[in-house]
Amino acid sequence: QRAAIAVAVQPLIRGKLTRSRVRRDFPDFGCWRNAIIALQRLVKGNEPRKVQFQSWIQLKLANPIVFQSEEFKILEEAALATQGYDDDFNEEDYEKNSIPAFPGMKPSDSAGRVCTILFTSGILNWRRKVKDQKYLGMFRDRIDSLARGGNSYCLSKRLKGSNHGALETKLDKGMRIIWTQRGMERMIWFVCKHDHITKCVELIDKSYDRVVKSRVNYGLQEWEEIGDTDTTAAEPDMLASPEQNTPLKIHSVSVEALASSWNDIEWRPPLKLTAVEEEIVNLPGTVLLLGRSGTGKTLCVCNRMARDRQQYGTELRQMFVARTRRLCEYVKDLQQREQFGTDMLQHAKFQTMEELAHELFEQLDVNTSEVWKKGTYVDFKRFRDEFAKGDRVKQILPQRKILLMWTQIRSFIKGSYEAVSRGRPLEEAEYLDKDVIEKDRCRLKEKERADAYKVYAFYRAYLKEAGLWDEMDRAAYVARLMVAKRNRDIEEYGEPQALCQRVYVDEVQDITQAEMAILFYAAGGKVDSMFFAGDNAQSVSEGVDFRFAEVRSLVHKITSNQGRIERPHRLERNFRSHERILR
């Protein structure tokens, strides 16, 4: 009997001592007084249990600073211990019929502001696998409530044992949605059975812990150790997958766009950008972006296109250019499937350089079907296997220098802006002149340059005799047509007429200066309408000696030293390879 009395009295004494301390330390804090009153109601049990909890939750929402403090956690624990509560407490009707905690307080006043909903890839995969439309509707309703800032007990029950503030939303009797708050973002992690909640909380903590461990072990100083906080400033840009050695893929969608996207079961929101990527995407003017494979260059290009449409309207004429059709289709699919829809892309084109050349021929009313036949096309393979094995060429072109000579022909003698501006390939004296082709661009010695031009002389005769052509012949021809069009436009309209308003290039390291000049002419010569992304360490196309300095020097020459582009911005963080591998 004495033990039973002690068990009943001890919580009351703890509560009384704690309340005395609060009154002493915070005598003028009105929020604390209200909290104490609510605590007394819970302790005494004078009101119906549901009303008690509704008042308590409303009070917590109205005074988040007070209730997140360590002092009040002690108060809450002591008060709830006197009455206890069930995990199955159901407040399905709470959002519709919530009772204000104090006079003058509206239920809507307590709703937290949410701007973005984040989904892990696992959630999106789960959504595609569920076939029950009624069940998907329940999930959609819960996410919509969270997006509106709902904070009722059934929507945002805080889970014990979580180091990073994991919360639970009741989906049905046996299933739960596990999520966390990141400032004005709510991140949906898992949909799991009630019995698996503890495991999911452990995986969330593990995801954060692995980020901190990476910082400690491999010197990633930009990542800081984080705790249980509700501010995105302390959140790392990238979280580690708790079960794999890969970054956690987080998809982001604004609250405004969420409602219009639910009906498409294949819909996937765009991946969330890091702070550095967002800064690059929102830079004004022409942007040069340098990043190794796996750093998110293509994602930045896609988001830049979406950002420009949002800023300038869907009527904006956009052109995405890449070397391969596969990359064009990939970027187009990302634009259509993730967030932006087909209607948003009516004025956007996704083309290879070859397709762009044929389109320009058609627009400029030039019949070239007999000139640029595929059977007469010379690429590097044909140059190596057919031309370089000729008896006369073998004497001056060793096997080890075949690619070097092809690069000199393609990038400088025929494919440089100096050749385009002259309307013909460079002559030998011009190629050897280091004031025309600077030594920091072409790093060959004078004798090696002379040998390269001898090879070109043989190659020129070879093309002429066999009626063949290479990619630089076509690029030079298109460039001449564009220059002629530009001059006609200036005479007729007073300024060049652009074929597109924005140009985006991925894998720009596979494009020569002559082809870049075509892109600038297509944009009306406006040097503030480009977005170039690439990596000069992973060129796929043979014969392109690319540096980002080539783009900047091209702008200077096209604009007669009036235009200027900033140095390339870098993406350092790799999402595809482990830090030790990159080192």
Side-chain angles (χ1 to χ4, degrees), residues 52-72:
Q52 294 173 12
F53 271 92
Q54 287 174 342
S55 301
W56 184 251
I57 294 169
Q58 286 283 12
L59 184 67
K60 292 182 71 172
L61 298 177
N63 306 286
I65 297 177
V66 175
F67 281 80
Q68 289 172 6
S69 64
E70 290 298 327
E71 292 85 353
F72 208 88

Side-chain angles (χ1 to χ4, degrees), residues 31 232 278 466 517:
C31 293
T232 53
E278 287 184 357

Side-chain angles (χ1 to χ4, degrees), residues 96-116:
K96 298 180 181 178
N97 305 301
S98 59
I99 301 175
F102 302 101
M105 178 180 177
K106 299 179 180 178
S108 59
D109 294 338
S110 62
R113 185 182 177 190
V114 180
C115 291
T116 307

Side-chain angles (χ1 to χ4, degrees), residues 413-455:
I413 298 176
K414 299 179 71 173
S416 63
Y417 177 72
E418 288 76 12
V420 171
S421 61
R422 288 167 171 78
R424 55 172 174 76
L426 296 180
E427 296 179 354
E428 184 174 7
E430 295 169 336
Y431 174 63
L432 297 178
D433 189 351
K434 293 184 179 180
D435 291 331
V436 178
I437 303 294
E438 299 86 351
K439 62 181 180 181
D440 61 337
R441 292 175 59 193
C442 178
R443 292 174 286 276
L444 298 184
K445 297 179 181 179
E446 186 173 351
K447 183 179 182 307
E448 292 175 318
R449 287 197 187 195
D451 292 341
Y453 204 87
K454 289 180 182 177
V455 173

Side-chain angles (χ1 to χ4, degrees), residues 90-213:
N90 191 343
E91 289 198 54
E92 292 288 339
D93 301 326
Y94 170 70
E95 287 182 288
K96 298 180 181 178
N97 305 301
S98 59
I99 301 175
F102 302 101
M105 178 180 177
K106 299 179 180 178
S108 59
D109 294 338
S110 62
R113 185 182 177 190
V114 180
C115 291
T116 307
I117 296 294
L118 306 178
F119 298 95
T120 62
S121 294
I123 284 289
L124 298 178
N125 292 335
W126 172 87
R127 179 174 172 265
R128 284 203 305 272
K129 292 178 182 178
V130 175
K131 303 300 182 182
D132 189 343
Q133 294 300 317
K134 183 178 180 181
Y135 201 74
L136 284 177
M138 294 169 56
F139 176 73
R140 179 193 61 204
D141 293 341
R142 290 293 186 270
I143 299 300
D144 287 342
S145 298
L146 291 175
R148 292 195 302 269
N151 281 290
S152 67
Y153 181 79
C154 68
L155 283 176
S156 56
K157 175 185 173 183
R158 185 171 290 274
L159 297 172
K160 294 182 179 180
S162 172
N163 297 329
H164 299 92
L167 298 106
E168 164 196 332
T169 294
K170 187 174 182 179
L171 184 57
D172 63 9
K173 185 175 181 180
M175 299 295 289
R176 299 293 186 267
I177 300 172
I178 310 302
W179 58 279
T180 55
Q181 183 85 31
R182 296 164 54 101
M184 296 171 67
E185 301 174 337
R186 289 186 169 179
M187 181 169 171
I188 315 301
W189 287 79
F190 302 104
V191 174
C192 67
K193 295 181 179 179
H194 188 275
D195 296 339
H196 298 164
I197 290 178
T198 302
K199 177 63 175 177
C200 292
V201 170
E202 291 175 354
L203 290 176
I204 293 174
D205 291 340
K206 185 178 179 181
S207 181
Y208 280 92
D209 292 342
R210 293 186 68 190
V211 172
V212 178
K213 186 177 179 181

